[in-house]
Amino acid sequence: MADPRPQQKMTPKELMIVMVIALGSFMAGLDATIVNIALPDIAKYFDISTVLASWVLNAYLIILVSLLLAASRLGDMKGYRNIFIGGFALFTAGSAFCGLSPTIDILILSRMVQAVGGAVIAALGAVMVTSYLSASLRGQALGIVAMFTMLGAALGPVAGGFLTSAFSWQYIFFVNLPVGIVAIILGIYILPQMAPVAPKAKLDILGVLLTFVALGSLIVGLTSVQGNYPTLGMVALVISAIFWILFIVQERRAAEPLVNISLFKNRAYSLQNVNMMLIQMAMAGVMVVMPFYLELVKKIPTDNAGAILLALPVGMILTAPIAGKFSDIIGTKKPIITGFAICAVALFFLSTISAHTSVGHIVIYLFLLGAGTGVAYSPLNSAVMVECPAKDRGSTSGLVKMMTNLGSSLGVAVVMLVAMVAAGPKIAQVSSHALPATELAGAFDAAFLFCMVLEIIGVVLMLAVAEKEPGGDSDGEVAIGF
């Protein structure tokens, strides 16, 4: 069978397109972590409680996750280029409003505006890569985008701490302005025009509203159930479950749904979407409990603990683009299984740490976890996109981002719950400092073993997925023209 050698190297034009998309992913990753460290300063500036200040984060997350599917559908209807550039403009304007906010109410509202733009940037990244580049370059390009996402997430705490201490908390938002302006200008001149995939389609408004309530109540429930309002948290989770059921019913009966539910009849599509959530759950879980271990068990100062945690995203940054390129050559299944297996091994090692474990060993284990995540992440992203027809790639791109964000939220909540059950609720209290280090270490061991089980489940699910020929999908492929 004659099979032409697939293109394995990007042209300068293709690389510039990927870099513009990656710049958006960098900003999304940066803003996901840069605000956290400034929350105490924001609370002090406005003279408010830390609970109210936390809504600077919660409001952004709820709007972002809720609008991912709607943003991807809007791209199908109006064209990815224009919607992406418009989203970047809205994100940049929202950043300016945040920095200039005179009250906490306006700051939270401005964060919601920023989140609308962030949802567009996040939702359209994968589908733009899939639409603008050939199938033989898809994994490589998605690996570069994943690398920039992790780079932004890694630099967020460092940049946030520096800008807040050297200037003020407002500058964590002002730093977005020059990057956003450059990205908008580059997008106008570099991103190619292409006809909308579904120009006559209509937006499923009821589906958007149901998603908003389902996801919003889920995030409120997860953040409340472990805090001072467990009853509110449980009620919110029940409401979320009800609205998820209503959303599925709506998508089944809608003429033009946000998500084509019939795609989930494809086993590979369903299982690999679940794996997107699982791998993010494990990583987010480790990132939320590891600071407790470093500060409470190892007695390491907060700034040094943050530097140690950088080993995880650095591992991802180094492996994601390489794994993406290899997946274009050998297919996606083997790299995904390899990545999950490496993560499981790393988490097993993390489950053995104690108060006497050296910092060097911890850094190696975290780096190994990041490397495994990077090996699996970009091929997994590519594998999900290749399982759907061209007309559903926009909604699938938004769905992948939604599963990733759901994984982060669930990972933080569930892994902390496992640790709390293992050591008692004191782990979430300041009084944890008074607990014996051995008791705390046992709680962290249980949390890491739970994350290891998630990675093993990921391997098992991938064994049920059939291998596909590398670069074999060309459905709806669009040539780049300027």
Side-chain angles (χ1 to χ4, degrees):
M1 182 175 68
D3 186 18
R5 183 177 179 85
Q7 177 190 359
Q8 297 298 339
K9 188 175 181 180
M10 294 184 197
T11 65
K13 289 180 180 179
E14 289 170 331
L15 182 59
M16 285 300 296
I17 289 172
V18 173
M19 293 306 294
V20 172
I21 298 170
L23 198 57
S25 295
F26 173 81
M27 295 305 298
L30 187 74
D31 261 65
T33 58
I34 197 173
V35 175
N36 303 47
I37 200 166
L39 285 181
D41 289 80
I42 291 174
K44 183 178 179 181
Y45 181 87
F46 290 114
D47 192 22
I48 58 173
S49 67
T50 54
V51 174
L52 181 55
S54 70
W55 276 96
V56 176
L57 291 177
N58 293 339
Y60 182 87
L61 183 60
I62 291 171
I63 297 297
L64 176 75
V65 180
S66 300
L67 294 183
L68 286 169
L69 293 176
S72 59
R73 188 60 173 166
L74 199 60
D76 290 338
M77 295 163 53
K78 304 298 183 182
Y80 303 130
R81 176 186 180 273
N82 293 339
I83 297 299
F84 183 80
I85 294 172
F88 233 128
L90 194 59
F91 179 86
T92 305
S95 298
F97 295 150
C98 286
L100 297 171
S101 297
T103 66
I104 186 62
D105 296 332
I106 294 178
L107 176 57
I108 293 173
L109 184 62
S110 299
R111 280 286 279 175
M112 295 170 73
V113 173
Q114 189 187 36
V116 175
V120 172
I121 296 169
L124 297 184
V127 69
M128 290 172 72
V129 166
T130 308
S131 301
Y132 292 154
L133 275 70
S134 66
S136 63
L137 295 172
R138 184 173 300 143
Q140 181 182 352
L142 289 172
I144 293 172
V145 173
M147 179 186 72
F148 272 84
T149 303
M150 289 303 104
L151 182 62
L155 291 177
V158 179
F162 170 76
L163 291 170
T164 302
S165 59
F167 302 100
S168 67
W169 64 264
Q170 286 91 340
Y171 282 84
I172 66 174
F173 299 111
F174 290 150
V175 73
N176 292 332
L177 302 185
V179 180
I181 292 169
V182 169
I184 292 167
I185 294 172
L186 289 176
I188 292 172
Y189 286 100
I190 291 173
L191 294 179
Q193 287 277 12
M194 59 177 287
V197 175
K200 297 182 180 179
K202 295 181 180 179
L203 189 63
D204 179 13
I205 301 296
L206 180 57
V208 173
L209 294 175
L210 291 172
T211 308
F212 178 80
V213 177
L215 285 167
S217 56
L218 176 63
I219 292 170
V220 170
L222 291 174
T223 54
S224 301
V225 75
Q226 298 176 73
N228 298 323
Y229 308 99
T231 303
L232 172 64
M234 292 303 299
V235 170
L237 291 176
V238 171
I239 293 172
S240 177
I242 293 171
F243 274 83
W244 276 121
I245 294 171
L246 293 175
F247 173 73
I248 293 171
V249 171
Q250 165 63 15
E251 296 308 284
R252 286 185 180 277
R253 61 191 287 270
E256 296 178 277
L258 288 175
V259 178
N260 185 354
I261 299 295
S262 65
L263 287 173
F264 288 94
K265 295 177 182 178
N266 179 341
R267 182 168 60 182
Y269 184 86
S270 299
L271 295 182
Q272 290 175 142
N273 264 297
V274 171
N275 270 352
M276 289 293 301
M277 183 175 69
L278 291 178
I279 199 167
Q280 193 67 26
M281 279 183 69
M283 187 174 69
V286 170
M287 290 297 283
V288 75
V289 299
M290 183 55 76
F292 284 94
Y293 167 81
L294 294 174
E295 295 178 33
L296 302 181
V297 178
K298 295 294 290 181
K299 309 299 182 184
I300 294 174
T302 303
D303 52 349
N304 292 342
I308 293 169
L309 288 172
L310 285 176
L312 196 155
V314 166
M316 278 197 70
I317 290 166
L318 294 178
T319 58
I322 299 172
K325 190 168 185 177
F326 268 100
S327 71
D328 290 330
I329 301 171
I330 66 174
T332 57
K333 183 174 180 177
K334 293 183 182 69
I336 294 170
I337 292 176
T338 301
F340 272 98
I342 293 172
C343 289
V345 172
L347 286 160
F348 171 76
F349 285 141
L350 283 171
S351 73
T352 66
I353 63 178
S354 67
H356 307 293
T357 305
S358 70
V359 171
H361 281 92
I362 297 169
V363 169
I364 292 172
Y365 301 157
L366 288 172
F367 178 85
L368 191 63
L369 177 61
T373 304
V375 169
Y377 185 81
S378 49
L380 188 57
N381 204 328
S382 180
V384 173
M385 295 300 296
V386 86
E387 290 294 340
C388 64
K391 66 182 181 66
D392 291 311
R393 283 181 183 158
S395 61
T396 296
S397 180
L399 179 65
V400 165
K401 283 296 181 182
M402 190 179 79
M403 296 299 282
T404 302
N405 282 279
L406 274 178
S408 293
S409 299
L410 288 172
V412 169
V414 177
V415 174
M416 280 300 293
L417 183 61
V418 170
M420 288 171 65
V421 170
K426 290 182 180 180
I427 195 173
Q429 309 295 330
V430 177
S431 58
S432 295
H433 291 277
L435 292 177
T438 52
E439 186 177 343
L440 284 173
F444 298 126
D445 291 346
F448 294 136
L449 284 173
F450 175 79
C451 292
M452 184 186 75
V453 171
L454 295 179
E455 304 286 2
I456 293 172
I457 292 172
V459 172
V460 173
L461 294 181
M462 280 308 302
L463 292 175
V465 174
E467 180 67 275
K468 278 186 173 285
E469 288 293 324
D473 172 69
S474 60
D475 179 27
E477 200 170 290
V478 179
I480 297 173
F482 295 85

